[in-house]
Amino acid sequence: QVQLVESGGGLVQPGGSLRLSCAASGSIFRVNAMGWYRQAPGKQRELAATSSGDGSTKYADSVKGRFTISRDNAKNTVYLQMNSLKPEDTAVYYCNAKVVGATTGYQANYWGQGTQVTVSS
């Protein structure tokens, strides 16, 4: 089994910054894509940023130029640096990872428990 543990959420004023971290652990052969999704109250979960196994990245239009996703493959960890935060960025942020299991040999999709980000003055 694989676990994703997130950290770094909190309350920040508009214009501020936060850095989220997500570490994957457990029975891992290889971590392929990792990413961050977010869900605001009353809305569907949406992609914020993803990083594929080959290092390419993808961002939602609403966060381009403000958010940066990065990875430490040796630690199976993904980060999301969020700058110039806006009230509309307020949401629960979920880590996602597509992991090839060490015992199964096939890829499965995993989610973290979510971390709250609140942008408010």
Side-chain angles (χ1 to χ4, degrees), residues 44-55:
Q44 290 189 333
R45 190 174 299 188
E46 63 177 9
L47 178 148
T50 60
S51 174
S52 67
D54 64 4

Side-chain angles (χ1 to χ4, degrees), residues 5-12 17-23 36 78-82 85 91 93 113-118:
V5 178
E6 301 147 338
S7 61
L11 172 64
V12 64
S17 298
L18 282 175
R19 189 191 194 210
L20 305 182
S21 300
C22 171
W36 293 94
V78 64
Y79 306 96
L80 186 66
Q81 178 67 44
M82 305 184 293
L85 282 161
Y93 283 70
Q113 78 283 0
T115 185
Q116 177 70 46
V117 171
T118 302

Side-chain angles (χ1 to χ4, degrees), residues 75-108:
K75 297 181 179 180
N76 290 329
T77 298
V78 64
Y79 306 96
L80 186 66
Q81 178 67 44
M82 305 184 293
N83 299 328
S84 302
L85 282 161
K86 305 175 181 180
E88 50 264 43
D89 294 318
T90 295
V92 177
Y93 283 70
Y94 295 92
C95 177
N96 174 265
K98 294 175 173 53
V99 179
V100 178
T103 55
T104 64
Y106 63 81
Q107 179 176 284

Side-chain angles (χ1 to χ4, degrees), residues 16-39:
S17 298
L18 282 175
R19 189 191 194 210
L20 305 182
S21 300
C22 171
S25 63
S27 181
I28 297 172
F29 174 72
R30 184 179 65 249
V31 179
N32 290 332
M34 298 188 82
W36 293 94
Y37 291 72
R38 64 185 185 179
Q39 186 167 18

